[in-house]
Amino acid sequence: MYRGRVRTTLPVIACCEPLTRAPLGVDQAVTLAARLKALADPARLRLISLLAASPTGDVCVCELTGPLGLSQPTVSHHLKVLHEAGLVTREKRSTWAYYSVVPEAFDALAQVLAPPR
Amino acid sequence: MYRGRVRTTLPVIACCEPLTRAPLGVDQAVTLAARLKALADPARLRLISLLAASPTGDVCVCELTGPLGLSQPTVSHHLKVLHEAGLVTREKRSTWAYYSVVPEAFDALAQVLAPPR
DNA sequence: CGCGAATATTGACAGCCGTCGATGCGTGCG
DNA sequence: CGCACGCATCGACGGCTGTCAATATTCGCG
């Protein structure tokens, strides 16, 4: 069974060929599903878009709770999930935590989802 | 709140720009998350790859339960989820049901996930 | 040192999800 | 007609998940 969270941060660029090549092994499917699951949430998608839309490319948590309309612990939770999936990076500057997207991860995902032909 | 399944089949090609443009509205985020959530499961990812790997492009349910190691009801359930998300089509021929992938849907997803720059 | 601010962690709770066995439904065949 | 087969649906169950309030942690500053 594939149940059970993937705890450690996923390898920078994870898996596999275009998804529509060979019949995806169990392990690859689990890994890819974990990363997609991290994305498959409205709040996290909006977080990603907010990070990407920033001129500087990184945003501190305090600027994210407002636009999302979620509590600070919840935002921290979502950012942690995204971080563990290797989709964002965290940089702490004194008391503030600045998050930014990892373009390579999204590039890899886009290629995996590339349609046949 | 965004809770609650998206019941009807999603529009053939759903949303939005590259995800890394404008700060994604709530509705768009919910729609996109629904489609990603349909993909974010190991069994369903393997189903997709099995469908895509078929020479004819379509596979009947009876040929899918074996490779996946899941019961027939479970496989039917996953195919239903994929169908409601607009990721696969179903065609019934007498007693058999043949499923195939919808390339346009994956193309759209790949473009939405395209990284910044 | 001690306070305040920004985050992270914990605990709790309600709702969703993947899985299976049992059952229903439609179709072709003898 | 009646049976067998392929598939979908139902009901149930255990585990996971998103959310918040409360609390812990870390850091700068006076």
Side-chain angles (χ1 to χ4, degrees):
Chain A
M1 211 61 52
Y2 63 87
R3 293 299 192 110
R5 212 32 190 292
V6 173
R7 299 221 156 270
T8 54
T9 300
L10 294 177
V12 194
I13 303 303
C15 23
C16 18
E17 305 128 81
L19 207 222
T20 60
R21 293 298 178 201
L24 213 58
V26 175
D27 293 347
Q28 304 175 24
V30 171
T31 303
L32 179 53
R35 185 160 281 178
L36 285 173
K37 202 177 290 190
L39 261 184
D41 179 276
R44 293 197 280 269
L45 286 173
R46 297 187 68 205
L47 274 174
I48 294 290
S49 73
L50 284 172
L51 295 185
S54 163
T56 61
D58 54 359
V59 187
C60 80
V61 179
C62 58
E63 298 178 271
L64 294 170
T65 57
L68 256 66
L70 293 174
S71 71
Q72 174 267 317
T74 301
V75 172
S76 272
H77 164 67
H78 286 308
L79 288 169
K80 181 180 183 181
V81 172
L82 289 172
H83 181 68
E84 287 179 346
L87 296 172
V88 305
T89 58
R90 181 175 76 174
E91 183 197 353
K92 195 129 200 217
R93 296 184 216 148
S94 82
T95 41
W96 292 273
Y98 287 82
Y99 286 84
S100 44
V101 305
V102 177
E104 298 84 2
F106 287 85
D107 194 24
L109 275 182
Q111 291 193 18
V112 170
L113 294 187
R117 206 140 354 274
Chain B
M1 214 59 53
Y2 63 87
R3 293 300 192 109
R5 241 320 239 305
V6 172
R7 300 222 153 270
T8 54
T9 300
L10 294 178
V12 193
I13 303 304
C15 21
C16 18
E17 306 126 81
L19 206 224
T20 60
R21 293 298 176 198
L24 212 55
V26 176
D27 293 347
Q28 304 175 22
V30 172
T31 303
L32 179 53
R35 184 159 284 176
L36 286 173
K37 200 177 292 187
L39 261 185
D41 179 275
R44 294 198 279 271
L45 287 173
R46 298 187 67 207
L47 274 175
I48 293 289
S49 73
L50 285 172
L51 296 185
S54 163
T56 61
D58 53 358
V59 186
C60 80
V61 180
C62 57
E63 299 179 89
L64 294 170
T65 57
L68 255 68
L70 293 175
S71 71
Q72 175 267 317
T74 300
V75 172
S76 272
H77 165 68
H78 285 309
L79 288 169
K80 181 181 182 179
V81 173
L82 289 172
H83 181 69
E84 287 179 348
L87 297 172
V88 305
T89 59
R90 182 176 75 174
E91 183 198 352
K92 194 134 202 214
R93 296 183 216 150
S94 81
T95 41
W96 291 275
Y98 286 84
Y99 286 84
S100 45
V101 305
V102 178
E104 298 84 2
F106 287 85
D107 193 23
L109 275 182
Q111 291 195 18
V112 170
L113 295 186
R117 202 156 354 282

